[in-house]
Amino acid sequence: MSAAGSLLAAVPAAALLLLTVAVRPREVGAVAPLRLGVVRAVLLGGAYAVLVVEVLGASHALTRQAFAVAWLLFLAAAATAAGLRWRREAGLGQQFAATSVTVGNAPVTVGAVPRQVPVGAVVSGGGPDVSAPAAERVEPDPAPARAGWGPASLLAVAVGTWRTARPGERLLAGTIGGLVLVELLVALLAEPNNFDSQTYHLPKVEHWVAQGDLDFWPTAIHRQVTIPPGAEYLLLHLRLLTGGDQLYNLVQWAAGVVCLLVAARITAQLGGGRRAQLLTAFVLATTPMVALQATSTQTDLICAAWVACAATLVLDGLRRRTGWGTLLGLGAATGLTAVTKTSGLIAVGPLLVLWGLAQLRLARADQPAPAGPAAAGGGRRSWSVGGLARTVGGSVLILVVAAVVVGPFLARVTAEFGHPLGPPRLRESIPMERHDPASIVVNALRIGHTAFDTPLAPLRRAGAEVIISGAEAVGVDPQDRAITFGRELFPEPAWYPDEDRVAFPLTGALAVIGAVIALARPRRIAPERAGSLRAYAAVVLTAALLHTAMIKWQPWGNRLLLYAVVLAVPLAGLWLDALLRDRAGGRRSVATVAAVTVLATSALAGVLALSYGFPRRLVGAGSVFTTSDWDTRFLRRPQWADEFRWAATVVQDSGARRIGLVQQNDNWEYPWWLLLRQPDGGSPDLVALQSVLPERPPAEPSSVDAIVCTGNKAACAKLVPAGWRLEFRNYVGYALPPGR
């Protein structure tokens, strides 16, 4: 990566930091305002990134120069907005003064509160809105006042918070920070080596760069064009700005950081104090799937981040009318989820329903109670017509914004396949094809079995036998293709720390316990937010049930559940915090020992995942410190590394310029884009000799100068013109015409 590429790559990061300052909440009393500013900034930045790709793609201008201009303009706009915000606040600085308010019996210092605001009406920082009724207030953890938003002020707040933190809180925060920093190191050192990324995630990006637009292309791998491309859009920005894939892993790493911040904010919105928020972030950060995907080019953490952003904005709308800015944010979160991974909509849908019901309730509450005898008799409140219209209008705005973000991709898919969800093979491979109660229950049990898998093989076998016997007893084939992906067979071990399938038994158990208590006894863990907590837990449970009713079981299905895990972990954090509260006698000691044991085990799982996880690890065979860049890319299939180089070297030495591709649906294509690049770094002229797109015929074998093949030698031989020389090893081969 060149120096210019490094500077250009820093532009989006700088723009998002400035944007966080510019769009942070103005109202005093916002819960965790800095984190809310991050949510708004990443949603705005994500939507902008997607729309830039769509606009420039439609203009056939997917070039480095165009993307550099787009981000420099965005940086200028963000800097201007941040500057105006700073100037405005500096001008109003003399009108503000620190105010002390009392929440319950605890004095709380509030920074930057207007003098004219009545004492006791509001509280700032990460605490709750104390303008709510007394029964709904939350006792905040003591924290320094927020004096400003400059680097010095933020550093002072951080130092003050650290000084006031208890030793246990410092340990939690230190562990979280350590894991995040180690993940950053791995993300920077490791080359992209995710299996799916080699097949279709990264080849997508290379096709766009080579074409200069987003038009579909002939391919034997339908997922290159049918799977939503939101995550790859973000990678495309890095690809064009830097000229390579060195920073690709940082997209999922950043998404992981966003998940931690937003999950902690959700905990605060549900009544959790500082310790509960740290517990939430700790449990999530030490979940092996999160730790492994944070250094990957997979897409599940990105989807989870968008879903979490939608959730935290929805929770803001449970107690106050939603403003236009938040409506735009909800629309952006919905659209970004849809364009990244449609399974995330399984959670976004119920969240938006919860938001709509809350807004309708507020619309009714806004209407004054009737006067006269009706009021004396406790008559019903009437609906506010304006409130109803505002809720309906807000709902429409959310859908319109979401459509703007995801609509162009859906339009291309519909034009190509006649259906917005793609060809039949895609619509039938992942979604459930049977929805009778027995099939759904069997599917849910199998998904749960894989998600809660442990290294205890006897336990795994016993659980699987019970599920299989139960399925047969109710007349359901546990391997039925209508409820099982592809040709996979249940059960499949999932305990090993592999980014595509690792189970999360500890995190899952904590989340289940937290959800059950939140539904049954919400006041036990959040007495001041019992209603909101129960409603949120109901949404999380609904999303989990919908997932098992809509998505087939598959061995790597655990990563598809990551969005639900991120949403559920705040319930675990709140329950753990309640467990650690003061209790009488021996119960307190038992609860403390149990909680500490669980947290220590969780920390060990996270550390082991980072240390020995696959396919990027710190120690042992395949370590990012001892493995070469090229070999790192092939840790999934080390036997293929030399074969790809062998074939590419021969083809390049032959002087071939137009090269045909022969491959099957799950073969690796990305190595060819790396090995066959032009001497000046330009994209190679690669064309498919097979195509699963009816309207996109493949190139004729006679029109190419050479052929490279992966997978099946017989399939390759069928497409090699007569008289050409075909050489094939175990997985990779090539064919050249006479004289080359």
Side-chain angles (χ1 to χ4, degrees):
M1 182 171 59
S2 64
S6 300
L7 290 175
L8 288 175
V11 171
L16 289 177
L17 289 174
L18 289 169
L19 199 58
T20 299
V21 174
V23 300
R24 70 186 186 275
R26 297 176 182 273
E27 66 273 14
V28 178
V31 176
L34 180 57
R35 280 171 271 172
L36 179 55
V38 171
V39 169
R40 293 174 174 178
V42 297
L43 288 175
L44 182 56
Y48 179 79
V50 169
L51 294 177
V52 163
V53 172
E54 292 290 357
V55 171
L56 294 180
S59 306
H60 304 281
L62 297 180
T63 64
R64 184 182 193 185
Q65 294 78 9
F67 274 66
V69 169
W71 278 110
L72 289 172
L73 290 174
F74 190 72
L75 176 63
T80 301
L84 291 174
R85 185 71 183 271
W86 271 320
R87 184 177 303 175
R88 178 178 178 276
E89 291 183 351
L92 295 176
Q94 295 181 352
Q95 301 178 26
F96 290 75
T99 303
S100 178
V101 301
T102 300
V103 183
N105 297 321
V108 180
T109 302
V110 181
V113 178
R115 285 193 172 94
Q116 64 268 27
V117 175
V119 173
V122 293
V123 61
S124 69
D129 181 356
V130 296
S131 62
E136 299 178 352
R137 297 179 191 171
V138 180
E139 297 292 339
D141 287 319
R146 187 179 75 240
W149 288 87
S153 299
L154 292 176
L155 180 60
V157 170
V159 171
T161 302
W162 181 263
R163 288 176 177 173
T164 60
R166 303 178 182 92
E169 293 172 346
R170 293 182 181 181
L171 181 60
L172 291 172
T175 303
I176 296 166
L179 287 172
V180 169
L181 290 176
V182 173
E183 290 163 5
L184 175 61
L185 177 65
V186 175
L188 290 171
L189 290 178
E191 302 297 316
N193 61 0
N194 172 262
F195 193 103
D196 285 347
S197 296
Q198 307 286 353
T199 300
Y200 68 96
H201 289 310
L202 304 188
K204 273 187 194 181
V205 178
E206 295 302 322
H207 278 285
W208 294 332
V209 173
Q211 296 176 173
D213 58 41
L214 300 175
D215 290 346
F216 291 162
W217 52 89
T219 179
I221 304 173
H222 77 87
R223 292 175 294 173
Q224 291 183 358
V225 296
T226 57
I227 298 292
E232 291 88 345
Y233 282 175
L234 303 181
L235 296 180
L236 176 61
H237 286 266
L238 289 177
R239 169 67 173 85
L240 288 173
L241 292 176
T242 67
D245 61 9
Q246 296 91 338
L247 302 182
Y248 277 6
N249 293 332
L250 293 185
V251 175
Q252 279 258 112
W253 177 83
V257 173
V258 171
C259 286
L260 295 177
L261 294 174
V262 178
R265 183 172 193 264
I266 290 173
T267 305
Q269 291 172 289
L270 295 175
R274 182 167 61 196
R275 184 176 64 187
Q277 296 171 49
L278 285 170
L279 286 168
T280 295
F282 180 88
V283 171
L284 186 58
T286 55
T287 300
M289 178 68 76
V290 174
L292 291 170
Q293 285 227 5
T295 64
S296 172
T297 48
Q298 263 294 5
T299 62
D300 304 284
L301 266 180
I302 300 172
C303 173
W306 301 138
V307 174
C309 287
T312 195
L313 295 181
V314 164
L315 287 176
D316 278 340
L318 297 188
R319 295 177 178 274
R320 62 173 66 90
R321 300 294 292 171
T322 300
W324 295 111
T326 301
L327 290 173
L328 293 174
L330 283 171
T334 303
L336 288 167
T337 301
V339 80
T340 301
K341 211 174 190 72
T342 51
S343 58
L345 295 176
I346 294 173
V348 173
L351 284 167
L352 292 180
V353 170
L354 175 62
W355 170 84
L357 293 175
Q359 292 296 294
L360 288 174
R361 179 181 61 82
L362 291 171
R364 189 178 186 185
D366 287 345
Q367 186 71 6
R380 295 181 178 179
R381 289 180 179 270
S382 59
W383 293 96
S384 166
V385 176
L388 287 172
R390 182 176 175 180
T391 301
V392 173
S395 302
V396 172
L397 179 61
I398 291 172
L399 296 178
V400 168
V401 174
V404 169
V405 175
V406 72
F409 168 71
L410 294 181
R412 289 194 298 275
V413 172
T414 303
E416 190 73 29
F417 301 104
H419 195 287
L421 297 181
R425 65 184 300 175
L426 177 64
R427 303 198 303 271
E428 297 169 0
S429 61
I430 298 177
M432 287 275 285
E433 298 178 79
R434 289 181 57 177
H435 297 91
D436 56 285
S439 296
I440 293 174
V441 170
V442 171
N443 192 54
L445 290 174
R446 294 183 306 164
I447 290 175
H449 180 274
T450 305
F452 287 84
D453 190 25
T454 70
L456 303 176
L459 180 62
R460 181 189 313 116
R461 287 194 298 268
E465 289 172 1
V466 170
I467 293 172
I468 291 172
S469 300
E472 294 171 347
V474 297
V476 176
D477 179 2
Q479 314 299 349
D480 186 354
R481 296 304 100 188
I483 62 174
T484 305
F485 179 84
R487 301 177 182 177
E488 306 302 325
L489 296 176
F490 173 83
E492 182 74 20
W495 65 269
Y496 185 79
D498 183 299
E499 66 173 355
D500 285 337
R501 64 177 67 198
V502 62
F504 35 82
L506 190 56
T507 301
L510 292 174
V512 168
I513 294 172
V516 169
I517 295 178
L519 289 170
R521 301 180 61 185
R523 293 189 180 278
R524 178 181 175 185
I525 56 178
E528 297 83 6
R529 291 288 188 270
S532 297
L533 177 60
R534 177 175 283 163
Y536 181 79
V539 167
V540 173
L541 177 62
T542 299
L545 294 176
L546 287 175
H547 185 99
T548 60
M550 298 174 68
I551 306 296
K552 294 177 179 178
W553 175 87
Q554 50 189 284
W556 42 89
N558 288 341
R559 64 182 181 82
L560 302 182
L561 279 168
L562 196 52
Y563 71 91
V565 172
V566 172
L567 290 185
V569 165
L571 303 176
L574 288 165
W575 175 69
L576 285 171
D577 181 61
L579 198 64
L580 291 171
R581 289 178 191 160
D582 291 343
R583 296 179 181 271
R587 292 178 60 193
R588 177 182 179 185
S589 299
V590 172
T592 300
V593 170
V596 170
T597 301
V598 167
L599 294 174
T601 306
S602 182
L604 179 63
V607 171
L608 289 178
L610 269 179
S611 301
Y612 297 98
F614 199 72
R616 291 166 304 280
R617 56 174 48 170
L618 292 173
V619 297
S623 167
V624 294
F625 296 113
T626 60
T627 308
S628 68
D629 293 348
W630 185 250
D631 288 336
T632 297
R633 296 180 184 274
F634 285 85
L635 283 174
R636 284 285 187 191
R637 298 291 187 271
Q639 67 273 23
W640 295 348
D642 290 337
E643 293 191 22
F644 269 100
R645 270 185 164 166
W646 159 74
T649 300
V650 174
V651 169
Q652 282 186 320
D653 291 344
S654 72
R657 300 187 63 83
R658 182 175 166 86
I659 303 165
L661 283 174
V662 178
Q663 54 196 0
Q664 288 75 58
N665 185 55
D666 205 31
N667 289 173
W668 286 19
E669 179 182 313
Y670 186 59
W672 297 126
W673 291 96
L674 297 175
L675 291 168
L676 299 174
R677 281 190 180 177
Q678 302 294 336
D680 62 357
S683 298
D685 186 6
L686 293 176
V687 295
L689 302 184
Q690 310 141 289
S691 179
V692 295
L693 278 65
E695 303 300 322
R696 308 279 174 173
E700 289 292 333
S702 59
S703 69
V704 300
D705 303 322
I707 297 174
V708 292
C709 311
T710 52
N712 190 297
K713 180 179 180 180
C716 182
K718 290 179 181 179
L719 292 170
V720 174
W724 283 39
R725 174 169 57 95
L726 172 62
E727 298 287 343
F728 209 97
R729 291 189 177 177
N730 293 322
Y731 180 76
V732 177
Y734 69 88
L736 292 173
R740 285 189 179 268

